Amino acid sequence: MINFRPPETRTRPSVGSSSSSVVTAEKALSFISKGWQEVRSSADADLQLIKNRANKFKNLADRELENFINSASISPFAVPAITASTITAPAEIDFVKKLRPKLSEIRRAYSSSEFKWPSQGKLRIDLSAIKNAIVAEVEEEEEEEKEREREREIWRKWRCDRLKEERHFGEFDWEPIRTFKTRLKELEVELKGSRSSPAEIFEVIKNSEFVGKVKSSLKSICKEPEETKGVPPLDVPELLAYLVRQSSPFLDQIGIRRDISEKIVESLCSKGHSKLLLNSLPGGGSSLIDGEIMNDELDLRIASVLQSTGHCYDGGFWGDSTKQNLEGDKRHVAIVTTASLPWMTGTAVNPLFRAAYLAKSEKQNVTLLVPWLCKSDQELVYPNQLTFSSPEAQELYIRNWLEERIGFKADFKISFYPGKFSKERRSILPAGDTSQFIPSRDADIAILEEPEHLNWYHHGKRWTNKFNHVVGIVHTNYLEYIKREKNGALQAFFVKHINNWVTRAYCDKVLRLSAATQDLPRSLVCNVHGVNPKFLKIGEKAAADRQSGQKVFSKGAYFLGKMVWAKGYRELIDLLSKHKTEFDGFNLDVFGNGEDAHEVQSTAKRLNLNVNFMNGRDHADDSLHGYKVFINPSISDVLCTATAEALAMGKFVVCADHPSNEFFQEFPNCLTYKTPEDFVAKVEKAMSSEPQPLTPEEQYKLSWEAATQRFMKYSDLEKVLSDETSLDRRRRKGMGKSVSMPNLEEMVDGALAFTHNCLTGNEFLRSCTGAIPRTRDYDKQHCNDLHLLPPQVENPIYGW
C-alpha cells in the first residue's frame, strides 16, 4: 500500500480550511482504495482464466500423447495401404515404444498435485528427455546402417574375389564346356598362325577333329533306326477298318450288330496294303482268317506304322492329365453306395458286408462312402425315429451293427457324402460331386453300387478319369418300378437310354446281380452278394436241433419286406384273393413298414384276406426263427436278400420263376412257380413237408467269402490288383498290341461324359428331369454337419 503524506515544506493552513482539506483527502483516498481493489480482483480473475486455459492445454496435450502412443500399435483387423511412408513403420513403432516411458514420466511429473504453475503466467516444459530419446534413436539407427554397409562391403569384396578366381581358373565350368572352350582356343590359335584365304580357313575348320566329333555326335542323336525304314503308310481302307472296329460298341447301340461290323472290317482289310499281310498267311487266302486273327493283324499293322513315325500316345482325348501315381505298396478300393444303416435296404447292407470282407484279406485298403442325411431327412428314412447328430455317431452305430453279425473286427474307413431324400423316387440322391469325397491319393479302384442311380445327376469329375478301374454293380430293376407309374412306358424308354449313357461314360465294367436288370454296356450277370454269417449259424443250429429230434419249425408261412406296392405286395394280394377258397384256413404273417403300409393293409382287409400285418424287424430276429416257409412273389427285385437269408436259415422259399430268382433255383428248398395255380401247389407242398438241411457246398455258395471271390474274378479286380503296371494313372485300355493308337471308343465315352456333365450343370434341366432342386451343390446344413467349405469356396467361379 502507498502512503500519501503532505509535503513538510508546505505551510499549515487555517483551521477552517484544514478541515475541508481533510475531508477531501479522505474521499480521494477512498476512491483510490476502491479502484485498487477493482484492479486486484480483475487481475485475480485474469490469472484464474490463464490457469484454466493452461489446464485445458495440459489435458489436450495428454490426449494427443495418448493418441500418438496408441497409433504405434496397429490393429489386427486393419489393413493399411502400402506406401513409401509405411515401409519404415516397424522402426517408427520401435522408436515410439522406446519413447513411451519418457512420455509417461513427463505426464506423471506435470499431472502431480505438487506441480505449481508459475505466477508470472509462463508455462515452461522441459523437453530435454524427448530430445535425448530422439537423438539416441537417430544415433542408434545411424550405427545400424553403418554396420549393414560394412557387411555389404565385405560381401561385395568376397564376390569380386570369387568371380576373379572363376575367370582365372574356370573351376566352375561343366566338363564338356571346358573342353569345348579349350578346343575353340586351339582352333583360334591355329587359324591365327596360318596365312590362308577364307576358303582355306573354312576347309581347315570343316576337316578339324573337333568339328568331326560334333558332327558324329549329332548324327548318333538323329539317326533313324534301321527297322523303321520301308514301312508303307496306312491307306484309306485300313483307316476305315480301324474306325469301324473301334466304333463297334457305338454301332451296336444304334442297331448294327457286332457280326456285321466284323464283316465290314474283314472286307476293308482285304484291300490295299493289307494284302501284304494276307499273302504272308498259309494259303494266301482270306478264307483262313477269322475275326480274331484279322484284328491282331490290323493291330500289328497300325503299331508298325506308328513306330516308324515315332508317335507315342499318352492318353485319351478326354483324359485327365493331372493324375499321379499312387504311393505305397497297398492298393485302395473305394465303395460308393446310395443308402446307409439304419435304413435296412439292400444298398445299405450289402456294400457294408462287401467292404468288410474285402478289407479282411488285408491286401488292399478299403473305404466305404455312404450318404449323410440332414436331420429332417433322417426322420423320413430311418425307422423308429432314429436320428444322428453327427457322422461320427452314425459311423459308430454302423460299426457296432456290423461287428455283431460278422464276428470279426473289420478294418476299413467309413466316409460320408452329402445326400438328400427324394419322396417321389423314395431313394437318396447325391448332392454335389460325390467323387470329391475320395482324396486323389486314394483314387485307385472305385466300386459304384447302383452306378446309374449315382450318376443320373452327377455333375463333377468323371469317375474313370479319377480312378484306374471303375466297377458298377446294378442292384435295382428301375425300369420295372417306373413302368408301374403314370406314363410308365414313356418314362421307362428315356430312363433305359439314360442308364446306358451314364454307365458307359462312367464305368469300365458292370456286374448285374441277375438277368432281371437292364442289359447295360460292358456288363455281365453274376451274383456277387452273400448272406449275413448270422443266418448261416441259425441254419446250422436248426439242422443240429432237427438231427437231435427237436421240432425246429413251429410256425407256418411269412413274408418280410418294405411295405411298398412294388416290393411284391401287389402280386401277393392278387394271388391270395384269386385263390381265397384254396387258402381257406391258411394264415400269412407279413412284417414290414413303408410308405404304402396303410393302403396295403386296408386293401387286404377289404378283400377279407387271412393276412396278419406286423411291424418290420430284422430277419435274424428270434421271433422269425420258427417259421418254416418264406413266400416272396415279387418280380421287381433283382436279387432278393431276404430270399437268400431264408434259404441260409434252412427254410422253404416259394418264389416266382423269374430271372431274379435264377441263382436260388439250384437249392432244393427253393420252390418256384410259373402260374397262380402252381403257386397254390408249391405252398401246399412246402406246408406239408420238411426242408432239407444245407450241405457245406451250399452254405459256402451263400456266404460272403464265396461272393467276394466271385466279385474279384468277374470284376477283373484280381487282374487289376496283380498288375503293377496298372498303377500308372494313364489308362491304356482296349488298344491290343497297338498301345500307341488313340482309342476311339474311349474318346466317344469321354464325349458322352462331357455332354452329360454340361447338361447336369443346368439347374433348369435338372429340375425338368426330376432332380431335387438345388442339389447340384450341397447346402449350408451339409456344410455344418460334415464340416465342409461352402461350394462357392470349394469350387470358385472366377470372372463373374
PDB file of all heavy atoms in Angstrom, residues 468-480:
ATOM      1  N   ASN A 468      -8.335 -95.631 -61.556  1.00  0.00           N
ATOM      2  CA  ASN A 468      -7.733 -96.549 -62.517  1.00  0.00           C
ATOM      3  C   ASN A 468      -8.736 -97.535 -63.078  1.00  0.00           C
ATOM      4  O   ASN A 468      -8.685 -97.889 -64.253  1.00  0.00           O
ATOM      5  CB  ASN A 468      -6.594 -97.329 -61.856  1.00  0.00           C
ATOM      6  CG  ASN A 468      -5.401 -96.451 -61.565  1.00  0.00           C
ATOM      7  OD1 ASN A 468      -5.117 -95.527 -62.312  1.00  0.00           O
ATOM      8  ND2 ASN A 468      -4.726 -96.714 -60.477  1.00  0.00           N
ATOM      9  N   HIS A 469      -9.608 -98.031 -62.216  1.00  0.00           N
ATOM     10  CA  HIS A 469     -10.569 -99.059 -62.617  1.00  0.00           C
ATOM     11  C   HIS A 469     -11.875 -98.782 -61.892  1.00  0.00           C
ATOM     12  O   HIS A 469     -11.889 -98.598 -60.670  1.00  0.00           O
ATOM     13  CB  HIS A 469     -10.035-100.445 -62.259  1.00  0.00           C
ATOM     14  CG  HIS A 469     -10.845-101.575 -62.816  1.00  0.00           C
ATOM     15  ND1 HIS A 469     -10.991-101.786 -64.180  1.00  0.00           N
ATOM     16  CD2 HIS A 469     -11.565-102.554 -62.214  1.00  0.00           C
ATOM     17  CE1 HIS A 469     -11.749-102.852 -64.377  1.00  0.00           C
ATOM     18  NE2 HIS A 469     -12.115-103.337 -63.195  1.00  0.00           N
ATOM     19  N   VAL A 470     -12.987 -98.759 -62.641  1.00  0.00           N
ATOM     20  CA  VAL A 470     -14.303 -98.451 -62.067  1.00  0.00           C
ATOM     21  C   VAL A 470     -15.244 -99.606 -62.378  1.00  0.00           C
ATOM     22  O   VAL A 470     -15.445 -99.959 -63.542  1.00  0.00           O
ATOM     23  CB  VAL A 470     -14.869 -97.129 -62.623  1.00  0.00           C
ATOM     24  CG1 VAL A 470     -16.223 -96.823 -61.994  1.00  0.00           C
ATOM     25  CG2 VAL A 470     -13.901 -95.982 -62.369  1.00  0.00           C
ATOM     26  N   VAL A 471     -15.819-100.175 -61.325  1.00  0.00           N
ATOM     27  CA  VAL A 471     -16.760-101.295 -61.454  1.00  0.00           C
ATOM     28  C   VAL A 471     -18.120-100.837 -60.949  1.00  0.00           C
ATOM     29  O   VAL A 471     -18.225-100.278 -59.852  1.00  0.00           O
ATOM     30  CB  VAL A 471     -16.284-102.519 -60.650  1.00  0.00           C
ATOM     31  CG1 VAL A 471     -17.263-103.670 -60.813  1.00  0.00           C
ATOM     32  CG2 VAL A 471     -14.889-102.933 -61.076  1.00  0.00           C
ATOM     33  N   GLY A 472     -19.147-101.072 -61.743  1.00  0.00           N
ATOM     34  CA  GLY A 472     -20.510-100.780 -61.325  1.00  0.00           C
ATOM     35  C   GLY A 472     -21.252-102.065 -60.986  1.00  0.00           C
ATOM     36  O   GLY A 472     -21.097-103.074 -61.668  1.00  0.00           O
ATOM     37  N   ILE A 473     -22.058-102.030 -59.918  1.00  0.00           N
ATOM     38  CA  ILE A 473     -22.866-103.184 -59.512  1.00  0.00           C
ATOM     39  C   ILE A 473     -24.326-102.748 -59.516  1.00  0.00           C
ATOM     40  O   ILE A 473     -24.713-101.856 -58.756  1.00  0.00           O
ATOM     41  CB  ILE A 473     -22.457-103.696 -58.128  1.00  0.00           C
ATOM     42  CG1 ILE A 473     -20.982-104.100 -58.126  1.00  0.00           C
ATOM     43  CG2 ILE A 473     -23.324-104.879 -57.708  1.00  0.00           C
ATOM     44  CD1 ILE A 473     -20.473-104.553 -56.778  1.00  0.00           C
ATOM     45  N   VAL A 474     -25.126-103.365 -60.379  1.00  0.00           N
ATOM     46  CA  VAL A 474     -26.536-102.982 -60.549  1.00  0.00           C
ATOM     47  C   VAL A 474     -27.373-103.761 -59.545  1.00  0.00           C
ATOM     48  O   VAL A 474     -27.412-105.000 -59.580  1.00  0.00           O
ATOM     49  CB  VAL A 474     -27.006-103.258 -61.989  1.00  0.00           C
ATOM     50  CG1 VAL A 474     -28.464-102.871 -62.143  1.00  0.00           C
ATOM     51  CG2 VAL A 474     -26.135-102.492 -62.972  1.00  0.00           C
ATOM     52  N   HIS A 475     -28.054-103.049 -58.648  1.00  0.00           N
ATOM     53  CA  HIS A 475     -28.876-103.667 -57.608  1.00  0.00           C
ATOM     54  C   HIS A 475     -30.354-103.676 -57.944  1.00  0.00           C
ATOM     55  O   HIS A 475     -31.079-104.554 -57.463  1.00  0.00           O
ATOM     56  CB  HIS A 475     -28.722-102.892 -56.284  1.00  0.00           C
ATOM     57  CG  HIS A 475     -27.394-103.022 -55.638  1.00  0.00           C
ATOM     58  ND1 HIS A 475     -27.198-103.649 -54.431  1.00  0.00           N
ATOM     59  CD2 HIS A 475     -26.164-102.607 -56.028  1.00  0.00           C
ATOM     60  CE1 HIS A 475     -25.923-103.605 -54.097  1.00  0.00           C
ATOM     61  NE2 HIS A 475     -25.275-102.972 -55.049  1.00  0.00           N
ATOM     62  N   THR A 476     -30.827-102.680 -58.683  1.00  0.00           N
ATOM     63  CA  THR A 476     -32.259-102.399 -58.772  1.00  0.00           C
ATOM     64  C   THR A 476     -32.734-102.429 -60.217  1.00  0.00           C
ATOM     65  O   THR A 476     -32.045-101.924 -61.110  1.00  0.00           O
ATOM     66  CB  THR A 476     -32.565-101.017 -58.154  1.00  0.00           C
ATOM     67  OG1 THR A 476     -31.985-100.957 -56.848  1.00  0.00           O
ATOM     68  CG2 THR A 476     -34.059-100.780 -58.045  1.00  0.00           C
ATOM     69  N   ASN A 477     -33.919-102.994 -60.398  1.00  0.00           N
ATOM     70  CA  ASN A 477     -34.566-103.006 -61.709  1.00  0.00           C
ATOM     71  C   ASN A 477     -35.463-101.771 -61.810  1.00  0.00           C
ATOM     72  O   ASN A 477     -36.679-101.837 -61.601  1.00  0.00           O
ATOM     73  CB  ASN A 477     -35.384-104.290 -61.875  1.00  0.00           C
ATOM     74  CG  ASN A 477     -35.907-104.464 -63.288  1.00  0.00           C
ATOM     75  OD1 ASN A 477     -35.677-103.630 -64.156  1.00  0.00           O
ATOM     76  ND2 ASN A 477     -36.638-105.540 -63.509  1.00  0.00           N
ATOM     77  N   TYR A 478     -34.831-100.630 -62.130  1.00  0.00           N
ATOM     78  CA  TYR A 478     -35.575 -99.370 -62.139  1.00  0.00           C
ATOM     79  C   TYR A 478     -36.668 -99.365 -63.206  1.00  0.00           C
ATOM     80  O   TYR A 478     -37.726 -98.744 -63.007  1.00  0.00           O
ATOM     81  CB  TYR A 478     -34.611 -98.201 -62.358  1.00  0.00           C
ATOM     82  CG  TYR A 478     -33.747 -97.912 -61.172  1.00  0.00           C
ATOM     83  CD1 TYR A 478     -32.404 -98.267 -61.172  1.00  0.00           C
ATOM     84  CD2 TYR A 478     -34.260 -97.303 -60.042  1.00  0.00           C
ATOM     85  CE1 TYR A 478     -31.598 -98.016 -60.073  1.00  0.00           C
ATOM     86  CE2 TYR A 478     -33.461 -97.043 -58.941  1.00  0.00           C
ATOM     87  CZ  TYR A 478     -32.140 -97.406 -58.958  1.00  0.00           C
ATOM     88  OH  TYR A 478     -31.355 -97.159 -57.865  1.00  0.00           O
ATOM     89  N   LEU A 479     -36.434-100.002 -64.308  1.00  0.00           N
ATOM     90  CA  LEU A 479     -37.437 -99.995 -65.377  1.00  0.00           C
ATOM     91  C   LEU A 479     -38.735-100.649 -64.915  1.00  0.00           C
ATOM     92  O   LEU A 479     -39.829-100.203 -65.275  1.00  0.00           O
ATOM     93  CB  LEU A 479     -36.891-100.708 -66.613  1.00  0.00           C
ATOM     94  CG  LEU A 479     -35.607-100.123 -67.213  1.00  0.00           C
ATOM     95  CD1 LEU A 479     -35.230-100.885 -68.477  1.00  0.00           C
ATOM     96  CD2 LEU A 479     -35.770 -98.649 -67.516  1.00  0.00           C
ATOM     97  N   GLU A 480     -38.622-101.714 -64.105  1.00  0.00           N
ATOM     98  CA  GLU A 480     -39.818-102.390 -63.611  1.00  0.00           C
ATOM     99  C   GLU A 480     -40.606-101.489 -62.684  1.00  0.00           C
ATOM    100  O   GLU A 480     -41.835-101.442 -62.724  1.00  0.00           O
ATOM    101  CB  GLU A 480     -39.411-103.677 -62.891  1.00  0.00           C
ATOM    102  CG  GLU A 480     -40.568-104.523 -62.411  1.00  0.00           C
ATOM    103  CD  GLU A 480     -41.415-105.057 -63.546  1.00  0.00           C
ATOM    104  OE1 GLU A 480     -40.875-105.316 -64.644  1.00  0.00           O
ATOM    105  OE2 GLU A 480     -42.642-105.216 -63.344  1.00  0.00           O
TER     106      GLU A 480
END
